[in-house]
Amino acid sequence: QGSANHDIWAVHVGANRNATTNYLMIGGVHARELAPVEVLMKLMNLLVNGYGKDPRITQILDNSNVVFMPMVNVDGRVMVEEGDAWQRKNAAGVDLNRNFDNHWNFEGLNVPSSWLRGVKDPGSQIYSGPRAASEPETQTVQAMFHRLKPALAVDMHAHGDMMLWPLGYSYDDNPHTPVFKAL
């Protein structure tokens, strides 16, 4: 549940629960970003309805598990639906995208000082919270990530017109950089 007690759903799509390859699809981290939730719901529908009909979809679902968390920030989304169209953070006022414990508050990274001010200011749109992984929404995503150990995790957002790949906080290439560049 989120900080205002709305349930955070995870939906498993797959034909073989014993498959060892897992994919994690996350959306709705920022409340006002409505499109990622809808896109992930459409993708779930495509996979479910394509199973047994589309050979690629059938192969994927026979050999892997796809777990969707289409709306992580349910409490914030409810606030948007109730008229607060610019709500970005969760109900507790934390930018969930900045609350994860990996490099929380840009620890160990060389970033502009303006970034550091924003994450530490509760009035900022990018306030990272009182401590790393302080929010139930963040804890839920991290628990799912640790449970699944996904071969691929996608955190879909609606703004930026870009694709970031691991490690999103580094300029160093990783072994899969050519694949991500091709995408």
Side-chain angles (χ1 to χ4, degrees):
Q1 293 184 328
S3 55
N5 295 323
H6 290 95
D7 290 337
I8 300 168
W9 288 87
V11 178
H12 170 266
V13 179
N16 179 0
R17 275 221 178 256
N18 297 319
T20 57
T21 302
N22 297 306
Y23 303 108
L24 180 59
M25 309 298 284
I26 301 165
V29 171
H30 291 130
R32 66 186 180 209
E33 295 180 15
L34 307 180
V37 176
E38 304 306 317
V39 170
L40 291 178
M41 297 296 281
K42 288 276 196 185
L43 180 56
M44 277 191 280
N45 188 54
L46 176 76
L47 293 177
V48 169
N49 289 321
Y51 183 76
K53 299 173 188 157
D54 182 298
R56 286 182 67 197
I57 291 173
T58 303
Q59 186 214 9
I60 289 168
L61 297 180
D62 280 345
N63 295 296
S64 60
N65 299 298
V66 184
V67 176
F68 291 86
M69 296 179 78
M71 191 184 317
V72 172
N73 190 356
V74 181
D75 300 330
R77 173 71 177 245
V78 168
M79 294 168 74
V80 168
E81 291 174 353
E82 290 175 347
D84 188 0
W86 291 106
Q87 176 67 23
R88 172 185 163 95
K89 302 184 279 186
N90 72 350
V94 174
D95 178 0
L96 299 175
N97 205 45
R98 307 287 186 287
N99 187 244
F100 293 98
D101 62 9
N102 190 325
H103 294 287
W104 180 74
N105 278 355
F106 303 108
E107 291 173 349
L109 302 177
N110 183 16
V111 298
S113 60
S114 62
W115 290 18
L116 297 174
R117 283 191 303 274
V119 296
K120 294 178 182 180
D121 175 7
S124 166
Q125 286 294 309
I126 61 168
Y127 174 57
S128 64
R131 65 188 177 286
S134 60
E135 305 308 297
E137 299 93 340
T138 306
Q139 294 166 14
T140 300
V141 171
Q142 288 187 176
M144 185 65 75
F145 192 90
H146 290 294
R147 181 175 144 221
L148 294 174
K149 296 175 181 39
L152 174 70
V154 174
D155 180 7
M156 188 177 290
H157 290 263
H159 299 287
D161 205 18
M162 66 185 95
M163 179 179 175
L164 302 175
W165 58 81
L167 303 167
Y169 55 81
S170 172
Y171 290 104
D172 296 336
D173 285 344
N174 73 47
H176 304 292
T177 294
V179 174
F180 288 115
K181 283 183 177 180
L183 288 173

